[in-house]
Amino acid sequence: MSQEGGRWRPATKFMLSACAAAVAETVTFPLDLTKTRLQIQGEAVQDQHGGRRRAVPYRGMIRTAVGIVKEEGLFKLWQGVTPAIFRHVVYTGSRMALYEQMRDLVFRRNEDGSFPLWKATLVGMMSGATAQFIASPTDLVKVQMQMEGKRRLEGKPPRVHGMYHALMKILSEGGIRGLWAGWLPNVQRAALVSLGDLTTYDTVKHSLLRNTSLQDNSLCHSLASICSGVVAATMGTPADVIKTRIMNQPRDRQGRGLLYKSSFDCLMQSVKGEGFWSLYKGFLPTWMRMAPWSLTFWITFEQIRKLAGVSSF
């Protein structure tokens, strides 16, 4: 029995997508770090006396990236890449396997091979939300590690000294539940990003194959991935800003946030204090990261599948 029809099919596709995601994440991680720093700039912070004040002004994408290199060093652009890769192994591997299983076995394609947009939308959001809930602890560790360089420059003591220490610190302060701090906006963002990414790529790719003379090759994959990157960034940035701020805020001994009570409270404070467009802070690096990430991931993923003898996505 071939792998394509065998019982190991979901596990095989999980591993293939995890490998492709690790490549894409490593290549584009500096833009993710820049985006995270941009999303934190401008939010309220606690001072040493427990009061609240405004953080440093919004510096912009290029100045933020250059500032990281000058102030912290070139390789700090990859600070937090290890938990980021672990996160994508779990997240991307799970959502890709879930999407294909639901698409091919539960909702099923039409006889002509098309997959209705409403089905693709539902499957994309469900697979993304489920996968992100599973991977949320790794995302929390990644965000906290990404902010350590900024804390050192502000003269603050480091919160974490590595991935394992960050994980143990979160557990000691908030218990098991602390690992899922910020999970709701995280899951909301993942549902929207997967809607933009998986649904758009799948829909555009198969529309091109059915309605144009394009073949199932790298050109077709590139065009579909460009579309998916734009849609994913547009839909996911506001939830990503809220998620980042909730995950990065200081917490009390019970693991409760000291700045925001909930995702909605963070949303209202951000809009009230900084305006609606604060929800799109980091959009440019988000899009600039998602575009090459999507391109790298989908081309790598399709080629790995081909080499492994697994059918095209």
Side-chain angles (χ1 to χ4, degrees), residues 209-232:
L209 292 176
R210 288 195 309 272
N211 302 311
T212 72
S213 59
L214 284 176
Q215 301 298 310
D216 192 357
N217 54 26
S218 294
L219 176 58
C220 178
H221 304 159
S222 298
L223 292 174
S225 69
I226 290 170
C227 295
S228 69
V230 173
V231 177

PDB file of all heavy atoms in Angstrom, residues 209-232:
ATOM      1  N   LEU A 209      -5.728  26.522 -12.206  1.00  0.00           N
ATOM      2  CA  LEU A 209      -5.575  25.255 -12.924  1.00  0.00           C
ATOM      3  C   LEU A 209      -6.801  24.927 -13.770  1.00  0.00           C
ATOM      4  O   LEU A 209      -6.683  24.381 -14.867  1.00  0.00           O
ATOM      5  CB  LEU A 209      -5.314  24.113 -11.925  1.00  0.00           C
ATOM      6  CG  LEU A 209      -3.977  24.155 -11.183  1.00  0.00           C
ATOM      7  CD1 LEU A 209      -3.888  23.030 -10.162  1.00  0.00           C
ATOM      8  CD2 LEU A 209      -2.805  24.063 -12.170  1.00  0.00           C
ATOM      9  N   ARG A 210      -7.988  25.316 -13.266  1.00  0.00           N
ATOM     10  CA  ARG A 210      -9.219  25.015 -14.008  1.00  0.00           C
ATOM     11  C   ARG A 210      -9.491  26.011 -15.119  1.00  0.00           C
ATOM     12  O   ARG A 210     -10.044  25.638 -16.165  1.00  0.00           O
ATOM     13  CB  ARG A 210     -10.426  24.999 -13.059  1.00  0.00           C
ATOM     14  CG  ARG A 210     -10.494  23.820 -12.116  1.00  0.00           C
ATOM     15  CD  ARG A 210     -11.880  23.697 -11.484  1.00  0.00           C
ATOM     16  NE  ARG A 210     -12.312  24.969 -10.904  1.00  0.00           N
ATOM     17  CZ  ARG A 210     -12.041  25.354  -9.653  1.00  0.00           C
ATOM     18  NH1 ARG A 210     -11.313  24.555  -8.884  1.00  0.00           N
ATOM     19  NH2 ARG A 210     -12.464  26.502  -9.195  1.00  0.00           N
ATOM     20  N   ASN A 211      -9.135  27.274 -14.913  1.00  0.00           N
ATOM     21  CA  ASN A 211      -9.581  28.328 -15.831  1.00  0.00           C
ATOM     22  C   ASN A 211      -8.496  28.938 -16.697  1.00  0.00           C
ATOM     23  O   ASN A 211      -8.778  29.831 -17.507  1.00  0.00           O
ATOM     24  CB  ASN A 211     -10.249  29.447 -15.021  1.00  0.00           C
ATOM     25  CG  ASN A 211     -11.436  28.935 -14.203  1.00  0.00           C
ATOM     26  OD1 ASN A 211     -12.304  28.242 -14.738  1.00  0.00           O
ATOM     27  ND2 ASN A 211     -11.464  29.264 -12.916  1.00  0.00           N
ATOM     28  N   THR A 212      -7.237  28.528 -16.511  1.00  0.00           N
ATOM     29  CA  THR A 212      -6.143  29.046 -17.341  1.00  0.00           C
ATOM     30  C   THR A 212      -5.329  27.879 -17.892  1.00  0.00           C
ATOM     31  O   THR A 212      -5.592  26.714 -17.574  1.00  0.00           O
ATOM     32  CB  THR A 212      -5.211  29.982 -16.529  1.00  0.00           C
ATOM     33  OG1 THR A 212      -4.432  29.195 -15.614  1.00  0.00           O
ATOM     34  CG2 THR A 212      -6.016  31.024 -15.747  1.00  0.00           C
ATOM     35  N   SER A 213      -4.342  28.229 -18.684  1.00  0.00           N
ATOM     36  CA  SER A 213      -3.480  27.193 -19.262  1.00  0.00           C
ATOM     37  C   SER A 213      -2.297  26.852 -18.353  1.00  0.00           C
ATOM     38  O   SER A 213      -1.446  26.038 -18.726  1.00  0.00           O
ATOM     39  CB  SER A 213      -2.947  27.669 -20.625  1.00  0.00           C
ATOM     40  OG  SER A 213      -2.209  28.876 -20.490  1.00  0.00           O
ATOM     41  N   LEU A 214      -2.236  27.472 -17.179  1.00  0.00           N
ATOM     42  CA  LEU A 214      -1.137  27.204 -16.250  1.00  0.00           C
ATOM     43  C   LEU A 214      -1.145  25.744 -15.794  1.00  0.00           C
ATOM     44  O   LEU A 214      -2.215  25.150 -15.584  1.00  0.00           O
ATOM     45  CB  LEU A 214      -1.233  28.110 -15.026  1.00  0.00           C
ATOM     46  CG  LEU A 214      -0.804  29.568 -15.192  1.00  0.00           C
ATOM     47  CD1 LEU A 214      -1.064  30.339 -13.900  1.00  0.00           C
ATOM     48  CD2 LEU A 214       0.684  29.648 -15.560  1.00  0.00           C
ATOM     49  N   GLN A 215       0.043  25.203 -15.628  1.00  0.00           N
ATOM     50  CA  GLN A 215       0.195  23.851 -15.108  1.00  0.00           C
ATOM     51  C   GLN A 215       0.438  23.898 -13.598  1.00  0.00           C
ATOM     52  O   GLN A 215       0.677  24.952 -13.025  1.00  0.00           O
ATOM     53  CB  GLN A 215       1.360  23.154 -15.815  1.00  0.00           C
ATOM     54  CG  GLN A 215       1.206  23.067 -17.317  1.00  0.00           C
ATOM     55  CD  GLN A 215      -0.013  22.243 -17.724  1.00  0.00           C
ATOM     56  OE1 GLN A 215      -0.207  21.125 -17.238  1.00  0.00           O
ATOM     57  NE2 GLN A 215      -0.836  22.791 -18.606  1.00  0.00           N
ATOM     58  N   ASP A 216       0.385  22.741 -12.960  1.00  0.00           N
ATOM     59  CA  ASP A 216       0.608  22.647 -11.512  1.00  0.00           C
ATOM     60  C   ASP A 216       2.115  22.693 -11.254  1.00  0.00           C
ATOM     61  O   ASP A 216       2.758  21.681 -10.962  1.00  0.00           O
ATOM     62  CB  ASP A 216       0.013  21.339 -10.989  1.00  0.00           C
ATOM     63  CG  ASP A 216      -0.043  21.311  -9.460  1.00  0.00           C
ATOM     64  OD1 ASP A 216       0.436  22.278  -8.829  1.00  0.00           O
ATOM     65  OD2 ASP A 216      -0.554  20.320  -8.911  1.00  0.00           O
ATOM     66  N   ASN A 217       2.675  23.906 -11.371  1.00  0.00           N
ATOM     67  CA  ASN A 217       4.119  24.071 -11.247  1.00  0.00           C
ATOM     68  C   ASN A 217       4.441  25.268 -10.359  1.00  0.00           C
ATOM     69  O   ASN A 217       3.550  25.873  -9.751  1.00  0.00           O
ATOM     70  CB  ASN A 217       4.759  24.232 -12.629  1.00  0.00           C
ATOM     71  CG  ASN A 217       4.111  25.365 -13.429  1.00  0.00           C
ATOM     72  OD1 ASN A 217       3.566  26.313 -12.858  1.00  0.00           O
ATOM     73  ND2 ASN A 217       4.168  25.264 -14.751  1.00  0.00           N
ATOM     74  N   SER A 218       5.717  25.631 -10.301  1.00  0.00           N
ATOM     75  CA  SER A 218       6.158  26.689  -9.395  1.00  0.00           C
ATOM     76  C   SER A 218       5.539  28.042  -9.715  1.00  0.00           C
ATOM     77  O   SER A 218       5.305  28.852  -8.818  1.00  0.00           O
ATOM     78  CB  SER A 218       7.685  26.800  -9.418  1.00  0.00           C
ATOM     79  OG  SER A 218       8.283  25.629  -8.893  1.00  0.00           O
ATOM     80  N   LEU A 219       5.276  28.336 -10.992  1.00  0.00           N
ATOM     81  CA  LEU A 219       4.651  29.606 -11.358  1.00  0.00           C
ATOM     82  C   LEU A 219       3.248  29.697 -10.779  1.00  0.00           C
ATOM     83  O   LEU A 219       2.873  30.713 -10.181  1.00  0.00           O
ATOM     84  CB  LEU A 219       4.603  29.754 -12.880  1.00  0.00           C
ATOM     85  CG  LEU A 219       3.881  31.016 -13.394  1.00  0.00           C
ATOM     86  CD1 LEU A 219       4.533  32.274 -12.843  1.00  0.00           C
ATOM     87  CD2 LEU A 219       3.865  31.024 -14.931  1.00  0.00           C
ATOM     88  N   CYS A 220       2.481  28.635 -10.935  1.00  0.00           N
ATOM     89  CA  CYS A 220       1.131  28.592 -10.370  1.00  0.00           C
ATOM     90  C   CYS A 220       1.181  28.711  -8.857  1.00  0.00           C
ATOM     91  O   CYS A 220       0.414  29.472  -8.249  1.00  0.00           O
ATOM     92  CB  CYS A 220       0.448  27.302 -10.791  1.00  0.00           C
ATOM     93  SG  CYS A 220      -1.224  27.079 -10.118  1.00  0.00           S
ATOM     94  N   HIS A 221       2.097  27.991  -8.225  1.00  0.00           N
ATOM     95  CA  HIS A 221       2.231  28.034  -6.764  1.00  0.00           C
ATOM     96  C   HIS A 221       2.632  29.433  -6.300  1.00  0.00           C
ATOM     97  O   HIS A 221       2.143  29.916  -5.269  1.00  0.00           O
ATOM     98  CB  HIS A 221       3.289  27.023  -6.303  1.00  0.00           C
ATOM     99  CG  HIS A 221       3.007  25.623  -6.753  1.00  0.00           C
ATOM    100  ND1 HIS A 221       3.981  24.660  -6.836  1.00  0.00           N
ATOM    101  CD2 HIS A 221       1.843  25.028  -7.160  1.00  0.00           C
ATOM    102  CE1 HIS A 221       3.449  23.524  -7.272  1.00  0.00           C
ATOM    103  NE2 HIS A 221       2.166  23.729  -7.475  1.00  0.00           N
ATOM    104  N   SER A 222       3.501  30.106  -7.046  1.00  0.00           N
ATOM    105  CA  SER A 222       3.956  31.445  -6.674  1.00  0.00           C
ATOM    106  C   SER A 222       2.812  32.452  -6.736  1.00  0.00           C
ATOM    107  O   SER A 222       2.647  33.275  -5.823  1.00  0.00           O
ATOM    108  CB  SER A 222       5.095  31.896  -7.595  1.00  0.00           C
ATOM    109  OG  SER A 222       6.209  31.041  -7.480  1.00  0.00           O
ATOM    110  N   LEU A 223       2.027  32.422  -7.803  1.00  0.00           N
ATOM    111  CA  LEU A 223       0.907  33.354  -7.939  1.00  0.00           C
ATOM    112  C   LEU A 223      -0.112  33.162  -6.823  1.00  0.00           C
ATOM    113  O   LEU A 223      -0.607  34.131  -6.237  1.00  0.00           O
ATOM    114  CB  LEU A 223       0.238  33.165  -9.306  1.00  0.00           C
ATOM    115  CG  LEU A 223       1.070  33.570 -10.527  1.00  0.00           C
ATOM    116  CD1 LEU A 223       0.348  33.183 -11.817  1.00  0.00           C
ATOM    117  CD2 LEU A 223       1.358  35.066 -10.495  1.00  0.00           C
ATOM    118  N   ALA A 224      -0.415  31.906  -6.512  1.00  0.00           N
ATOM    119  CA  ALA A 224      -1.374  31.622  -5.448  1.00  0.00           C
ATOM    120  C   ALA A 224      -0.831  32.054  -4.088  1.00  0.00           C
ATOM    121  O   ALA A 224      -1.576  32.590  -3.250  1.00  0.00           O
ATOM    122  CB  ALA A 224      -1.716  30.131  -5.432  1.00  0.00           C
ATOM    123  N   SER A 225       0.471  31.856  -3.856  1.00  0.00           N
ATOM    124  CA  SER A 225       1.050  32.222  -2.561  1.00  0.00           C
ATOM    125  C   SER A 225       1.112  33.732  -2.374  1.00  0.00           C
ATOM    126  O   SER A 225       0.965  34.234  -1.254  1.00  0.00           O
ATOM    127  CB  SER A 225       2.450  31.619  -2.415  1.00  0.00           C
ATOM    128  OG  SER A 225       3.371  32.229  -3.301  1.00  0.00           O
ATOM    129  N   ILE A 226       1.333  34.492  -3.450  1.00  0.00           N
ATOM    130  CA  ILE A 226       1.336  35.956  -3.362  1.00  0.00           C
ATOM    131  C   ILE A 226      -0.031  36.456  -2.913  1.00  0.00           C
ATOM    132  O   ILE A 226      -0.145  37.318  -2.026  1.00  0.00           O
ATOM    133  CB  ILE A 226       1.720  36.580  -4.718  1.00  0.00           C
ATOM    134  CG1 ILE A 226       3.203  36.312  -5.005  1.00  0.00           C
ATOM    135  CG2 ILE A 226       1.444  38.087  -4.723  1.00  0.00           C
ATOM    136  CD1 ILE A 226       3.630  36.684  -6.413  1.00  0.00           C
ATOM    137  N   CYS A 227      -1.075  35.922  -3.499  1.00  0.00           N
ATOM    138  CA  CYS A 227      -2.442  36.299  -3.107  1.00  0.00           C
ATOM    139  C   CYS A 227      -2.717  35.930  -1.652  1.00  0.00           C
ATOM    140  O   CYS A 227      -3.301  36.716  -0.900  1.00  0.00           O
ATOM    141  CB  CYS A 227      -3.460  35.619  -4.022  1.00  0.00           C
ATOM    142  SG  CYS A 227      -3.393  36.142  -5.748  1.00  0.00           S
ATOM    143  N   SER A 228      -2.293  34.755  -1.240  1.00  0.00           N
ATOM    144  CA  SER A 228      -2.580  34.305   0.121  1.00  0.00           C
ATOM    145  C   SER A 228      -1.851  35.159   1.153  1.00  0.00           C
ATOM    146  O   SER A 228      -2.393  35.447   2.229  1.00  0.00           O
ATOM    147  CB  SER A 228      -2.195  32.829   0.292  1.00  0.00           C
ATOM    148  OG  SER A 228      -0.792  32.655   0.251  1.00  0.00           O
ATOM    149  N   GLY A 229      -0.625  35.606   0.844  1.00  0.00           N
ATOM    150  CA  GLY A 229       0.123  36.442   1.778  1.00  0.00           C
ATOM    151  C   GLY A 229      -0.545  37.786   2.016  1.00  0.00           C
ATOM    152  O   GLY A 229      -0.615  38.260   3.156  1.00  0.00           O
ATOM    153  N   VAL A 230      -1.055  38.414   0.959  1.00  0.00           N
ATOM    154  CA  VAL A 230      -1.723  39.717   1.086  1.00  0.00           C
ATOM    155  C   VAL A 230      -2.993  39.590   1.920  1.00  0.00           C
ATOM    156  O   VAL A 230      -3.237  40.381   2.846  1.00  0.00           O
ATOM    157  CB  VAL A 230      -2.048  40.293  -0.303  1.00  0.00           C
ATOM    158  CG1 VAL A 230      -2.901  41.555  -0.172  1.00  0.00           C
ATOM    159  CG2 VAL A 230      -0.769  40.613  -1.072  1.00  0.00           C
ATOM    160  N   VAL A 231      -3.814  38.614   1.620  1.00  0.00           N
ATOM    161  CA  VAL A 231      -5.087  38.447   2.330  1.00  0.00           C
ATOM    162  C   VAL A 231      -4.841  38.078   3.786  1.00  0.00           C
ATOM    163  O   VAL A 231      -5.502  38.600   4.697  1.00  0.00           O
ATOM    164  CB  VAL A 231      -5.954  37.373   1.640  1.00  0.00           C
ATOM    165  CG1 VAL A 231      -7.238  37.139   2.425  1.00  0.00           C
ATOM    166  CG2 VAL A 231      -6.292  37.801   0.216  1.00  0.00           C
ATOM    167  N   ALA A 232      -3.895  37.199   4.040  1.00  0.00           N
ATOM    168  CA  ALA A 232      -3.608  36.766   5.414  1.00  0.00           C
ATOM    169  C   ALA A 232      -3.120  37.930   6.268  1.00  0.00           C
ATOM    170  O   ALA A 232      -3.531  38.082   7.431  1.00  0.00           O
ATOM    171  CB  ALA A 232      -2.575  35.645   5.404  1.00  0.00           C
TER     172      ALA A 232
END
